[in-house]
Amino acid sequence: MPRMKKEERNSHRTLQVVDHIRSLILNGTLQPGDKLPPEREFARSLKISRASLRTGIGYMAALGVMNIRHGVGTFLADGPPQFGTASLSLIGALHGFQPWQMFEARIILESHLSALAAERGKQEHFAALAEEVAEMFASMNSPADFLVHDLLFHRIISQASGNPILAAIIETLTSAFYESRRRNVERSAGMRESAQMHREIYRAIRARNANEAHNLMEQHLRMAQIAQGMERPTGRGRSPSVPAKKHPRSASAA
């Protein structure tokens, strides 16, 4: 049997780590938020070097499955899964994704997720949404805090939709937007209007009015798209019209 090349051996060991951790997740040994065994002990159980183990763990961290906390340990991810904003940025650079295309994807997905949240959401989701709306109104003097509560509001809606696949996709998109917004958040405008729109979305979801929740979320995100200057270029077709009756300005934090 021919000997494997070094690259093949490294790949094999990475897959060995991934497969082992996957089996621990599937049989219930590892739960979301659990800490992995100490590195030395874990590597010995797999009969691989600690360097190979670190490579495998790093691969899973890049996929969003693991959280590495330096000086503390490595933990199985807890909370909404992500497909990896770094991977999304790399794919976007490779295929020429445009900001307006990313926003268009958000509008399509989140509008439908809001409708699903109205149909499937539980009381704990409604309570969490109400809390984030209250925190938005309390954060008017701190755009950075407002942005965090804005992100959490959208995350709760995706969780309330009851579809973890769609929730994972939207988590990746909103996380990518958060990274770009975080850098110039102090210039955000219209936070009060945005908070009011979030409150209306929450009320529609709580009232289980799927149609209204869908339309309000679409309106909110189209306004945020314009506020952030991410409209579809006119040379490729006109941007969708935006209703002007309510909230003529929307915070660019959305």
Side-chain angles (χ1 to χ4, degrees):
M1 181 176 177
R3 294 181 62 185
M4 287 190 292
K5 296 180 181 178
K6 182 178 179 180
E7 294 81 2
E8 292 174 334
R9 289 197 302 271
N10 290 339
S11 178
H12 174 74
R13 287 165 183 161
T14 297
L15 289 176
Q16 185 180 350
V17 174
V18 172
D19 287 341
H20 183 70
I21 291 175
R22 181 189 290 118
S23 69
L24 293 177
I25 294 170
L26 291 175
N27 67 26
T29 302
L30 280 179
Q31 301 285 337
D34 282 355
K35 185 178 180 179
L36 263 60
E39 187 179 271
R40 186 186 301 275
E41 174 188 327
F42 205 17
R44 188 183 300 120
S45 70
L46 287 172
K47 298 180 180 179
I48 60 175
S49 69
R50 293 168 70 179
S52 296
L53 176 63
R54 288 191 205 107
T55 300
I57 295 296
Y59 174 78
M60 299 190 79
L63 293 177
V65 179
M66 292 290 171
N67 290 324
I68 300 172
R69 303 176 195 169
H70 296 290
V72 180
T74 302
F75 298 80
L76 196 63
D78 189 13
Q82 294 186 49
F83 293 129
T85 55
S87 299
L88 185 64
S89 298
L90 183 61
I91 294 170
L94 180 64
H95 296 284
F97 289 1
Q98 299 299 313
W100 69 265
Q101 294 169 329
M102 299 270 286
F103 228 113
E104 187 171 70
R106 273 194 74 186
I107 292 169
I108 293 169
L109 288 171
E110 290 202 64
S111 297
H112 285 82
L113 283 172
S114 296
L116 289 175
E119 295 173 352
R120 303 172 179 173
K122 300 176 181 177
Q123 289 304 317
E124 54 261 37
H125 295 128
F126 302 157
L129 287 173
E131 183 176 343
E132 294 308 326
V133 169
E135 291 292 347
M136 284 184 211
F137 279 102
S139 303
M140 293 298 168
N141 295 323
S142 176
D145 288 341
F146 187 98
L147 179 61
V148 170
H149 294 297
D150 189 328
L151 179 70
L152 291 174
F153 180 90
H154 289 267
R155 175 181 290 174
I156 293 164
I157 288 177
S158 70
Q159 293 171 340
S161 74
N163 189 316
I165 299 173
L166 290 175
I169 294 170
I170 204 62
E171 177 74 12
T172 300
L173 283 170
T174 53
S175 294
F177 275 104
Y178 174 76
E179 287 304 312
S180 64
R181 290 299 307 130
R182 186 173 54 83
R183 291 190 289 271
N184 58 356
V185 67
E186 295 302 326
R187 297 198 297 273
S188 294
M191 287 187 291
R192 181 165 297 279
E193 290 85 352
S194 180
Q196 290 169 347
M197 179 63 97
H198 282 86
R199 182 166 58 190
E200 290 185 24
I201 294 168
Y202 152 67
R203 287 173 174 170
I205 291 173
R206 184 189 62 186
R208 300 202 179 277
N209 189 331
N211 212 26
E212 182 75 356
H214 177 286
N215 293 339
L216 286 170
M217 179 61 79
E218 181 176 356
Q219 180 183 346
H220 164 59
L221 289 176
R222 289 197 188 284
M223 289 177 175
Q225 182 182 28
I226 291 174
Q228 294 181 33
M230 293 185 181
E231 302 130 292
R232 182 176 181 176
T234 53
R236 302 185 187 184
R238 297 190 58 182
S239 297
S241 59
V242 178
K245 292 191 293 184
K246 292 183 180 180
H247 313 293
R249 298 168 65 212
S250 181
S252 54

